[in-house]
Amino acid sequence: MLNEDRFFNPIRQNAIHTRAIQDFLKLPNKAIHSVIVFGESCTLKKVEMTSSNVHVIKREELKRFIQAQQKSASPIFSQVDIQAIYNQLLPQMQISKAMKKKHIRTIQQRYGKS
């Protein structure tokens, strides 16, 4: 978040991240749902969704959302698939604090810093 009034669009930011994961794992578009969760102190204004696999909710709705998804969704991955995905992602998550800071600086330079 940049400040209380201005921040990066979390839907776009999450779309970039989920697309990178999909490309890396070679997954179909419907395999990943983007869930953006805001805390109770946030006020969500004029949130318009154009995709059935992008969800913007408040933290208090998260448990109910997950339960509803579990009831209505058909499993896409087997336990073997899940373990293989985990094994592919685990090394990618082992990055240094310096690399994380560099990523943040790159984003700030590209999209502005307030």
Side-chain angles (χ1 to χ4, degrees):
M1 186 185 295
L2 296 177
N3 64 38
E4 201 170 286
D5 299 319
R6 183 172 171 224
F7 58 92
F8 295 123
N9 182 322
I11 297 169
R12 275 198 200 120
Q13 186 176 14
N14 212 36
I16 292 167
H17 291 152
T18 55
R19 183 59 177 203
I21 292 169
Q22 284 177 313
D23 291 348
F24 177 74
L25 295 172
K26 297 172 181 55
L27 297 175
N29 287 339
K30 296 290 182 182
I32 295 179
H33 281 246
S34 178
V35 181
I36 296 98
V37 182
F38 286 93
E40 284 78 21
S41 63
C42 287
T43 302
L44 300 178
K45 299 177 184 177
K46 205 174 181 182
V47 177
E48 296 177 21
M49 308 311 310
T50 58
S51 176
S52 63
N53 61 340
V54 176
H55 312 275
V56 178
I57 61 175
K58 295 192 80 170
R59 187 173 60 207
E60 64 199 27
E61 302 165 4
L62 184 58
K63 182 177 180 182
R64 194 171 39 248
F65 172 80
I66 292 170
Q67 290 169 339
Q69 290 296 310
Q70 288 174 328
K71 286 180 184 175
S72 65
S74 300
I76 297 173
F77 303 112
S78 69
Q79 287 299 319
V80 172
D81 294 333
I82 293 168
Q83 187 62 48
I85 290 168
Y86 174 82
N87 291 341
Q88 284 181 280
L89 290 176
L90 185 62
Q92 304 305 313
M93 296 185 299
Q94 309 302 316
I95 62 170
S96 67
K97 286 183 181 182
M99 185 60 82
K100 288 179 186 179
K101 286 182 180 182
K102 181 181 178 193
H103 174 69
I104 291 168
R105 278 194 309 274
T106 301
I107 297 300
Q108 289 172 337
Q109 288 171 351
R110 184 174 294 161
Y111 299 105
K113 180 180 177 180
S114 280

